[in-house]
Amino acid sequence: MADLPPQKRMDVPGLPRFALYFLGIVFFIWSCNGANLSLPDLIEGIPNMGRVLGEMSPPDFSRISFVSKSMLVTFQMALVGTVFGVFFSFFLAILATRSQTPSPILYYMARFVISFCRSVPDLVWAIFFVASVGLGTFAGTLTIMVDTIGFCGRFFAEAMEEVDDGPQEALSTMGAGRMSIIQSAVVPSAMPSFVNSSLFALEKAVRSSVVLGLVGAGGIGIELKVAMDLFQYQQAGTIILSIFVLVLCVEQLSSAIRRKIM
Amino acid sequence: MTPSVLLSDPEKRIEAEAAGAVEAAPELQLRIRGLRKSYPGRGLVLDGIELDVFKGEAVALIGSNGCGKSTLLRCSLRLIEPDEAETSFLGHEVQNLRRSALRKLRAKVGFVFQKHNLVLRSSVLTNVIHGSFARMPGFQVWSQATAPKHIREEAMYCLQRVGLAHLAASRADRLSGGESQRVALARALMQRPQFLMADEPVASLDPRVGDEVMDLLLGLTRQEDLTLLYVSHNLDHALKFADRIVGIQKGQVRLNAPANTLSTSALRELYGASDDG
Ligand SMILES: Nc1ncnc2c1ncn2[C@@H]1O[C@H](COP(=O)(O)OP(=O)(O)OP(=O)(O)O)[C@@H](O)[C@H]1O
Ligand SMILES: [Mg+2]
């Protein structure tokens, strides 16, 4: 007990650390410049924002049935993409879990696939799928599936990594095989986490399915773009309002499910 | 000792037994010789363990913290690989077994853990049904919903044996400590084991519940004609719930005697010098 190490945080920062802070601040200031921050532009833009918003109201509900149908398709695309994504994530995540993977090679391969799916942004995937399977909702569904794999694959694997290994040891002592141990000890314990991540993935998918239309991957996005391009702001208002309603509904639904499961 | 010719020749043995000349010799179910095990950075934990356990016996294994009791139990089923050992367990030469044969052997041994190790978010019945993994195609007994009727009935029967049939539908994380260890015991029974092993089965239970669980463990061992090998730090339990007590010190068996010839003070000597650190 005699010689405790001196408390590090109380030290005056040394020169290298000081230099590092300084560089960080300099880089941030430079970045603000790169981001083109400009207060005058913002102030000048405010009336325009007001004008656009003003022209959107009152929203034009004449095409509401068409918009709702398109919204439904958008949601269906998000749902189907998420469900398939969750399905594939589950198997990839088993390979990507250190304690469950059958071999280190598969572990690294699965990790790589998951990180790759995650690090490429969804709009880039959408452009890729539009180019390969053509315009429309199928490209969007694939995009959402891949995006979900990047997201859920990681969180599923983390959840399985954290599961208590006592029950697993007990089952293997009783002569259970690897798949049985995963199904009856790992999955039940990780289930709340799986459900939670999947619901987040669905929320994320609904939001991104809205913009995928901008690159032709199906859904409501394209209608919004057309309306804006043709200065039909009242139509655009309707679309934005219905996007808001959809996202809100999905979020409410998913937190309701979450409350029930946890 | 009975002449071994007599025992190895079945006909002569039956004659001899009928004449009351020999007592039926108990079957040697577990025979460990020269078990050595070291951990990296810890050196030799077990240094030439010899242990025999006969059918129908209840043997308590005692020794100070860190002397290697858990390691010994695990090495006997190769849940941990020993450095060196000659183990014959229920007629299998454990060191020679391949993976699948090893799984079959493990299935015949019910193992009860200190932490109970139930799957907490599953029902009690599902947990008990898991005991049948070794004899059923895995996917059928992942949970109670998919298990065939005769398996569910057998699991209910095992729960009855430990007095918890009324909790079958509860989730395992709703149980008290004593209940949860009894469920673990029912799960071990579901294996239709020939041998029970337990590593400090009542260490997390209060004294009264601990006694109840030990009573149940020994009772079931007797009723089902099983063999029991368990680790305990409770010397009164060792004396009360075992036929024989085996003490380990410095990696070797230092004590091996019938429980009714021992006293608490004799057992305390084992704890003189700590093996820890
Ligand atoms: N995986 C491991 N790696 C390294 N050392 C280990 C490992 N497992 C056990 N040990 C060491 O081996 C020794 C024996 O451990 P073991 O768990 O068998 O003792 P024990 O007799 O069961 O003790 P306790 O009564 O506390 O349960 C201990 O000193 C422990 O630190
Ligand atoms: Mg131990």
Side-chain angles (χ1 to χ4, degrees):
Chain A
M1 295 301 271
D3 39 18
L4 283 169
Q7 290 206 297
K8 282 219 160 156
R9 293 176 60 98
M10 302 297 271
D11 289 354
V12 181
L15 194 61
R17 187 126 54 101
F18 190 74
L20 216 65
Y21 289 151
F22 184 73
L23 278 179
I25 291 168
V26 168
F27 185 74
F28 181 73
I29 291 170
W30 183 33
S31 305
C32 288
N33 190 294
N36 248 329
L37 280 196
S38 138
L39 202 55
D41 280 1
L42 182 65
I43 291 169
E44 246 172 65
I46 287 176
N48 280 334
M49 294 181 196
R51 190 176 53 77
V52 172
L53 283 179
E55 285 183 26
M56 280 182 184
S57 50
D60 171 7
F61 287 108
S62 62
R63 298 205 326 143
I64 188 70
S65 73
F66 174 76
V67 169
S68 333
K69 232 175 95 188
S70 185
M71 285 308 294
L72 180 65
V73 171
T74 309
F75 175 71
Q76 287 173 329
M77 179 169 100
L79 183 70
V80 173
T82 308
V83 168
F84 277 104
V86 164
F87 179 78
F88 291 119
S89 297
F90 173 69
F91 293 100
L92 265 175
I94 291 174
L95 303 182
T97 304
R98 206 173 280 277
S99 47
Q100 309 298 345
T101 191
S103 94
I105 299 172
L106 287 173
Y107 170 81
Y108 285 110
M109 277 167 45
R111 286 259 144 172
F112 176 78
V113 170
I114 291 169
S115 326
F116 189 74
C117 289
R118 188 175 55 247
S119 48
V120 175
D122 51 0
L123 275 185
V124 177
W125 280 119
I127 291 168
F128 170 74
F129 284 124
V130 166
S132 44
V133 304
L135 289 167
T137 45
F138 184 47
T141 309
L142 288 176
T143 303
I144 285 170
M145 189 184 87
V146 169
D147 217 37
T148 302
I149 290 175
F151 180 80
C152 285
R154 172 180 171 188
F155 287 109
F156 285 8
E158 267 170 25
M160 288 197 272
E161 207 81 75
E162 280 164 12
V163 168
D164 176 23
D165 58 7
Q168 300 176 52
E169 186 192 9
L171 293 195
S172 87
T173 305
M174 295 185 303
R178 192 203 301 280
M179 210 50 213
S180 295
I181 293 176
I182 291 176
Q183 283 302 335
S184 39
V186 180
V187 170
S189 312
M191 195 43 101
S193 205
F194 285 178
V195 172
N196 200 17
S197 307
S198 305
L199 289 172
F200 272 124
L202 181 65
E203 291 173 28
K204 203 162 102 67
V206 168
R207 277 192 299 268
S208 69
S209 67
V210 168
V211 289
L212 292 182
L214 296 182
V215 295
I220 192 80
I222 188 66
E223 311 298 337
L224 181 60
K225 184 169 157 34
V226 167
M228 292 294 269
D229 286 351
L230 299 181
F231 304 108
Q232 298 169 334
Y233 289 133
Q234 291 178 326
Q235 297 260 355
T238 314
I239 295 172
I240 291 173
L241 213 61
S242 37
I243 290 172
F244 174 72
V245 170
L246 175 67
V247 171
L248 204 70
C249 286
V250 170
E251 283 183 1
Q252 289 302 315
L253 183 74
S254 89
S255 47
I257 296 176
R258 217 170 264 135
R259 267 198 305 278
K260 193 135 191 226
I261 299 257
M262 298 297 163
Chain B
M1 206 70 231
T2 332
S4 56
V5 255
L6 211 55
L7 290 178
S8 56
D9 185 333
E11 252 172 68
K12 278 190 190 153
R13 182 173 154 182
I14 289 164
E15 269 171 39
E17 273 179 28
V22 287
E23 261 183 58
E27 174 196 339
L28 184 54
Q29 285 192 324
L30 173 62
R31 179 179 192 273
I32 298 177
R33 289 292 176 273
L35 167 55
R36 262 172 251 283
K37 172 69 190 173
S38 56
Y39 289 108
R42 175 62 172 73
L44 267 186
V45 172
L46 298 177
D47 182 12
I49 292 282
E50 318 232 311
L51 178 66
D52 288 333
V53 181
F54 294 91
K55 182 172 164 53
E57 263 192 312
V59 176
L61 198 58
I62 62 172
S64 50
N65 283 130
C67 74
K69 303 175 297 298
S70 303
T71 305
L72 170 56
L73 290 194
R74 284 177 169 72
C75 281
S76 69
L77 284 167
R78 280 173 55 198
L79 296 167
I80 299 175
E81 286 292 340
D83 300 345
E84 212 180 292
E86 243 175 75
T87 307
S88 154
F89 203 161
L90 297 172
H92 303 268
E93 294 305 310
V94 178
Q95 60 279 358
N96 301 335
L97 293 183
R98 305 288 205 105
R99 223 182 138 91
S100 65
L102 195 56
R103 262 175 64 180
K104 286 204 187 91
L105 168 63
R106 286 174 185 167
K108 293 189 215 167
V109 180
F111 206 120
V112 178
F113 300 83
Q114 177 182 343
K115 289 192 312 167
H116 317 174
N117 287 346
L118 299 182
V119 180
L120 291 181
R121 292 181 51 84
S122 298
S123 73
V124 164
L125 188 62
T126 295
N127 270 284
V128 177
I129 284 172
H130 288 165
S132 63
F133 261 130
R135 64 174 183 276
M136 294 295 292
F139 65 91
Q140 279 197 7
V141 291
W142 280 347
S143 95
Q144 67 187 59
T146 51
K149 188 151 176 276
H150 68 97
I151 288 288
R152 273 181 285 137
E153 280 170 355
E154 190 177 340
M156 281 307 294
Y157 175 71
C158 293
L159 274 173
Q160 247 169 45
R161 307 294 320 257
V162 301
L164 290 183
H166 59 290
L167 292 180
S170 317
R171 246 170 61 166
D173 52 5
R174 305 274 150 81
L175 303 176
S176 73
E179 288 163 350
S180 121
Q181 190 60 303
R182 274 148 68 179
V183 172
L185 200 50
R187 178 173 67 177
L189 289 180
M190 187 71 188
Q191 285 176 250
R192 300 181 187 159
Q194 300 177 23
F195 199 108
L196 287 178
M197 275 193 187
D199 194 351
E200 300 187 40
V202 301
S204 62
L205 307 180
D206 75 37
R208 190 181 57 84
V209 174
D211 278 5
E212 281 169 18
V213 169
M214 281 312 298
D215 249 339
L216 184 64
L217 185 60
L218 191 66
L220 288 168
T221 302
R222 303 290 195 223
Q223 286 161 27
E224 309 277 322
D225 199 16
L226 304 175
T227 310
L228 173 65
L229 174 62
Y230 70 97
V231 171
S232 179
H233 283 301
N234 184 327
L235 299 182
D236 295 329
H237 278 176
L239 288 167
K240 186 171 165 203
F241 299 107
D243 303 314
R244 190 152 60 88
I245 299 182
V246 171
I248 294 182
Q249 194 181 36
K250 301 210 156 60
Q252 293 182 337
V253 173
R254 284 295 156 85
L255 169 83
N256 183 355
N260 55 21
T261 65
L262 294 166
S263 66
T264 319
S265 56
L267 298 181
R268 282 200 185 281
E269 282 172 30
L270 266 177
Y271 297 86
S274 168
D275 282 279
D276 234 354

